[in-house]
Amino acid sequence: ILLLGGTGVGKSALINALAGASIARSTAIRPTTDRLTVYQHEDAQLSRLAASEPASLARVPHRLEELRDKVLIDAPDF
């Protein structure tokens, strides 16, 4: 699930709501997300993302069973 939108519209807050936990950094100060951020279950194997440049991608592993089969991607303002 890729979330796109302008700065400060609540993409990170939506990720936290979907997760039912605070896994994404979300603040009133904008912008918070400065690169593609992938939220994935710690057991997920994402081979296509493994080839991505580390500087352009941040990974945030989690243990939430509700999101075991889902990958959430928070994109910076474009």
Side-chain angles (χ1 to χ4, degrees):
I1 301 168
L2 174 63
L3 298 173
L4 295 171
T7 300
V9 297
K11 297 180 301 287
S12 298
L14 177 59
I15 287 175
N16 289 335
L18 291 171
S22 183
I23 63 173
R25 187 173 53 129
S26 179
T27 67
I29 300 170
R30 300 177 354 180
T32 301
T33 304
D34 60 356
R35 58 187 166 163
L36 283 176
T37 306
V38 177
Y39 299 89
Q40 67 187 67
H41 194 274
E42 64 184 6
D43 294 335
Q45 299 297 320
L46 304 175
S47 57
R48 286 187 174 179
L49 288 176
S52 298
E53 293 290 325
S56 65
L57 182 72
R59 294 174 188 262
V60 180
H62 61 76
R63 296 180 182 173
L64 300 168
E65 286 302 313
E66 299 85 352
L67 298 177
R68 176 179 280 280
D69 299 321
K70 296 167 187 68
V71 176
L72 302 174
I73 303 174
D74 191 358
D77 194 3
F78 46 87

